[in-house]
Amino acid sequence: MATNLQFIKSASGTSVTSLEITNCFTDKYDVYAFAITKVDATSDGNMDLRFIDSGGSVISDAEYDYANLQLISYSSFSEGRGTNSTNINDIMRRDTDTEKNGGGFHYIYNPNDSSSYTFYQGQSGGAVASSGLIGTKAIGVHKVAEQITGFQLYGATFDTLEVVVYGVK
């Protein structure tokens, strides 16, 4: 796969429970990447992903399948998976403690192609203040062939959330 990243846009939020990154997918690229460059959260809740359709609506119907692996330094590793879910669950895992300085790198495949499913793959990590390190590897699919123009990250209350979107050449 090519690895030349072309900047598309950045987005950030302060004291938010969700962040929508809109109008970032076009016919210019088949593969997009997004980097979570900073995440600080002080409430419980994992970071989940939903796509935004060409009409600007967040897709929250049971149209997603996902699988993830949580790599926890202070506990056993664990797996999560779901079919016919309303999101791609746990792209960044949170524990019951304050997580600081997290980040991740994620790919989205074929979002603009209205005749194809949209796929997701990513990994993330962070420090849990009193416990140790926690990482996540995740995959997912939106099982409806439609044009996707953006995505939503949501879950915990994020004191700071910063995201940069790239096209992959």
Side-chain angles (χ1 to χ4, degrees):
M1 176 169 62
T3 57
N4 189 2
L5 301 178
Q6 307 293 308
F7 176 81
I8 303 287
K9 71 185 316 184
S10 61
S12 63
T14 304
S15 297
V16 296
T17 56
S18 69
L19 182 64
E20 293 180 9
I21 298 89
T22 59
N23 300 316
C24 56
F25 304 140
T26 67
D27 61 358
K28 190 170 181 180
Y29 304 97
D30 293 328
V31 179
Y32 289 82
F34 69 92
I36 299 171
T37 57
K38 184 172 185 182
V39 60
D40 290 340
T42 55
S43 74
D44 293 347
N46 299 323
M47 184 182 295
D48 300 327
L49 171 73
R50 289 182 174 148
F51 292 121
I52 298 173
D53 66 21
S54 60
S57 298
V58 175
I59 302 168
S60 59
D61 296 329
E63 301 174 349
Y64 301 91
D65 290 354
Y66 68 89
N68 56 56
L69 173 64
Q70 292 87 37
L71 308 151
I72 306 166
S73 70
Y74 53 89
S75 179
S76 300
F77 289 8
S78 65
E79 296 178 352
R81 61 183 150 263
T83 58
N84 302 318
S85 179
T86 60
N87 61 29
I88 296 175
N89 200 340
D90 292 353
I91 70 164
M92 180 173 238
R93 183 150 188 252
R94 287 271 307 117
D95 210 328
T96 57
D97 203 345
T98 302
E99 183 169 342
K100 294 290 184 186
N101 301 319
F105 206 79
H106 310 265
Y107 290 95
I108 296 174
Y109 302 89
N110 304 318
N112 191 66
D113 186 349
S114 61
S115 64
S116 174
Y117 290 175
T118 299
F119 294 87
Y120 159 83
Q121 163 196 348
Q123 56 191 7
S124 61
V128 179
S130 65
S131 303
L133 302 175
I134 190 164
T136 301
K137 295 184 78 62
I139 58 172
V141 60
H142 175 244
K143 301 181 303 181
V144 173
E146 65 181 301
Q147 184 181 32
I148 302 298
T149 58
F151 60 98
Q152 177 193 56
L153 301 172
Y154 72 101
T157 298
F158 302 104
D159 296 332
T160 305
L161 181 56
E162 297 175 359
V163 177
V164 181
V165 180
Y166 303 95
V168 180
K169 262 188 168 175

